[in-house]
């Protein structure tokens, strides 16, 4: 049996580019987005996020189809198509499910696998670490808070059932952007707060 030998003991200094804290925040945010959506992971890690996003878009697709096929007089009388503001009520379950998946996934995993200490030993501080997580979760949540709203607005406009004038279209668009961003921000705060109390994703999701 041959003996094992270890050569070149010690550390070698890093001589590559040093991009600073901003680059670290950007890199961690991108990594967290991929983890939250299950990218570069197994199919089962992608299944729930993808299914939740699809569920959030289904009502908008149906309402656009109704607007295209049924006359306005009938849809208005039956109140078959909700307003843009009321649409959130139709996808509340999908939003909550998506929030319960994404928030704990991007926060709890760092504590469970020991990466939190590594991040805080880098140029990241507690504040910039949390900033990176917020910058990751908010855009991901926009997939289910803003995306369906834009689909509903553009789809109804294409079938001549949307805003009457260009000014009204811009007004609805701005309101949709503001509402989607506000809802995403609130749910990001709630999900990350729940995930900060435990390192187990199941408990954080339930919370």
């Amino acid at each position: 049996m041959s003996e094992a030998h270890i050569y070149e003991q010690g550390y070698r200094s890093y001589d590559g580019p040093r991009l600073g804290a901003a680059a670290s925040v950007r890199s961690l945010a991108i990594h967290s987005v991929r983890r939250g959506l299950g990218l570069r992971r197994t199919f089962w890690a992608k299944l729930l996020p993808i299914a939740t996003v699809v569920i959030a878009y289904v009502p908008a697709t149906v309402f656009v189809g109704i607007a295209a096929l049924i006359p306005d007089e009938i849809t208005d009388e039956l109140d078959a198509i909700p307003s843009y503001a009321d649409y959130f009520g139709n996808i509340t379950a999908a939003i909550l499910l998506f929030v319960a998946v994404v928030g704990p996934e991007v926060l709890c995993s760092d504590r469970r696998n020991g990466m939190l200490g590594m991040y805080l030993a880098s140029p990241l501080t507690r504040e910039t670490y949390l900033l990176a997580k917020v910058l990751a979760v908010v855009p991901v949540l926009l997939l289910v808070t803003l995306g369906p709203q834009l689909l509903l607005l553009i789809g109804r406009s294409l079938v001549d059932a949307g805003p009457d004038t260009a000014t009204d279209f811009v007004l609805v668009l701005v309101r949709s952007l503001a509402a989607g961003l506000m809802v995403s921000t609130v749910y990001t705060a709630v999900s990350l707060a729940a995930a900060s109390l435990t390192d187990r994703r199941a408990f954080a999701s339930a919370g």
Side-chain angles (χ1 to χ4, degrees), residues 158-174:
L158 292 176
V159 298
D160 198 23
D164 297 327
T165 65
T167 302
D168 292 338
F169 180 89
V170 173
L171 181 60
V172 174
L173 177 60
V174 171

Side-chain angles (χ1 to χ4, degrees), residues 42-60:
T42 64
F43 169 77
W44 299 108
K46 301 179 181 68
L47 180 60
L48 191 55
I50 292 175
T52 308
V53 171
V54 171
I55 292 172
Y57 283 81
V58 167

Side-chain angles (χ1 to χ4, degrees), residues 23-191:
S24 299
V25 170
R26 182 174 63 253
S27 178
L28 179 57
I30 293 173
H31 169 73
S32 299
V33 167
R34 292 171 178 168
R35 184 165 187 87
L37 295 177
L39 302 180
R40 297 184 180 180
R41 300 174 65 196
T42 64
F43 169 77
W44 299 108
K46 301 179 181 68
L47 180 60
L48 191 55
I50 292 175
T52 308
V53 171
V54 171
I55 292 172
Y57 283 81
V58 167
T61 305
V62 173
F63 294 142
V64 171
I66 293 174
L69 299 175
I70 301 177
D72 294 342
E73 295 78 8
I74 298 178
T75 57
D76 292 341
E77 183 177 351
L78 297 177
D79 197 20
I81 302 178
S83 66
Y84 300 100
D86 293 336
Y87 186 79
F88 284 111
N90 291 273
I91 59 171
T92 298
I95 294 175
L96 290 176
L97 182 59
F98 198 69
V99 168
V101 171
V102 174
E105 183 64 41
V106 302
L107 203 60
C108 294
S109 58
D110 289 343
R111 298 205 301 280
R112 287 188 62 83
N113 58 26
M115 286 301 297
L116 178 59
M118 296 291 292
Y119 289 140
L120 296 182
S122 70
L124 293 174
T125 63
R126 287 184 174 85
E127 291 75 17
T128 53
Y129 171 82
L130 290 176
L131 174 62
K133 295 299 181 178
V134 170
L135 293 177
V137 176
V138 169
V140 171
L141 292 187
L142 287 175
L143 290 173
V144 293
T145 60
L146 177 59
Q149 292 274 357
L150 296 180
L151 175 61
L152 187 63
L153 173 61
I154 296 173
R156 291 185 61 174
S157 298
L158 292 176
V159 298
D160 198 23
D164 297 327
T165 65
T167 302
D168 292 338
F169 180 89
V170 173
L171 181 60
V172 174
L173 177 60
V174 171
R175 288 175 175 175
S176 298
L177 292 172
L181 182 59
M182 184 179 300
V183 173
S184 293
T185 302
V186 171
Y187 277 119
T188 294
V190 172
S191 64

